[in-house]
Amino acid sequence: MSTEAPVGSFELVEEPAFTTPWMTVRKGRWRRPDGEDVWYYQQHPGCALILPVTVSGKVHLTRIWRPAIQQWCVEAPAGRIEPGEAPVRSALRELAEEVGGVCSDVQELGRFFVSTGSSNECVHIFLAVGVTLEQTEHPDPGEVIEPWKIPIEDALPAVVNGRIADAPTALAITLAHQRGLLRSSERQP
């Protein structure tokens, strides 16, 4: 895929338009031969998502209240990558924080941009196998999270029928299934 910019230039304004503890909204100028547009986008440090598969053959997800959409969402543990933190470290940290899990093996499934029209956020997706729940989960302050476990064989149908509507989680399940990595516990590598 080409990274060459189209005719014209894109110039970032040095000052952020808006900043929160979690993200920055930046202002950009798109200069073309026929004029100029102002554009805003979310600058994000990236996040890591980990799809936990327990030794008992369950996909261990979370049910989390999302104020932006005013509903509960079923999601895999995920969170922002801290400065200097490797994506896999972030994923394993989120596994411990959100479900109290540790795993025997972790595999990278890929990295994807979640909303290229409004953000530069990149999600690094991992699969954790052999997950055991060895500690108490400790979500971030303000998070309302409940455990949500589903048999491995029901994970992909839950994506198809819309029970799992979080796009990065749905992508993680689809990728793991397509690659033959989402199998019942007796066939786990």
Side-chain angles (χ1 to χ4, degrees), residues 47-51 76-78 81 87-88 91 106-114 122-128 166-176 179:
C47 81
L49 176 143
I50 192 159
L51 183 65
I81 298 171
V88 68
V106 63
Q107 300 172 40
E108 185 172 4
L109 296 177
R111 64 184 200 93
F112 303 89
F113 294 100
V114 293
C122 181
V123 178
H124 299 260
I125 298 177
F126 298 90
L127 173 69
D166 174 64
T169 301
L171 180 58
I173 290 169
T174 303
L175 288 170
R179 295 177 187 174

Side-chain angles (χ1 to χ4, degrees), residues 9 15 24 32 41 43 55 59 62 68 73 75 87 91 96-97 109 116-117 119 129-130 150 160-161 165 167-168:
S9 64
E15 295 297 316
T24 299
R32 300 178 322 274
Y41 73 97
Q43 181 179 14
V55 294
V59 177
T62 61
C73 286
E75 302 176 6
E97 284 180 9
L109 296 177
T116 58
S119 176
V129 295
I150 187 169
V160 172
N161 70 26

Side-chain angles (χ1 to χ4, degrees), residues 67-87:
I69 60 171
Q70 294 292 300
Q71 65 183 31
W72 290 93
C73 286
V74 174
E75 302 176 6
R80 183 182 49 200
I81 298 171
E82 299 298 334
E85 185 177 40

Side-chain angles (χ1 to χ4, degrees), residues 1-84:
M1 182 179 315
S2 175
T3 57
E4 186 177 320
V7 174
S9 64
F10 184 73
E11 173 190 338
L12 290 180
V13 174
E14 291 300 318
E15 295 297 316
F18 181 79
T19 300
T20 76
W22 305 277
M23 69 172 174
T24 299
V25 175
R26 296 196 70 86
K27 180 179 179 180
R29 281 198 187 92
W30 180 250
R31 292 189 178 158
R32 300 178 322 274
D34 63 340
E36 178 178 288
D37 284 327
V38 174
W39 180 62
Y40 294 87
Y41 73 97
Q42 176 195 22
Q43 181 179 14
H44 194 284
C47 81
L49 176 143
I50 192 159
L51 183 65
V53 178
T54 67
V55 294
S56 63
K58 303 271 188 192
V59 177
H60 194 307
L61 303 172
T62 61
R63 188 172 172 259
I64 184 167
W65 178 254
R66 292 298 186 189
I69 60 171
Q70 294 292 300
Q71 65 183 31
W72 290 93
C73 286
V74 174
E75 302 176 6
R80 183 182 49 200
I81 298 171
E82 299 298 334

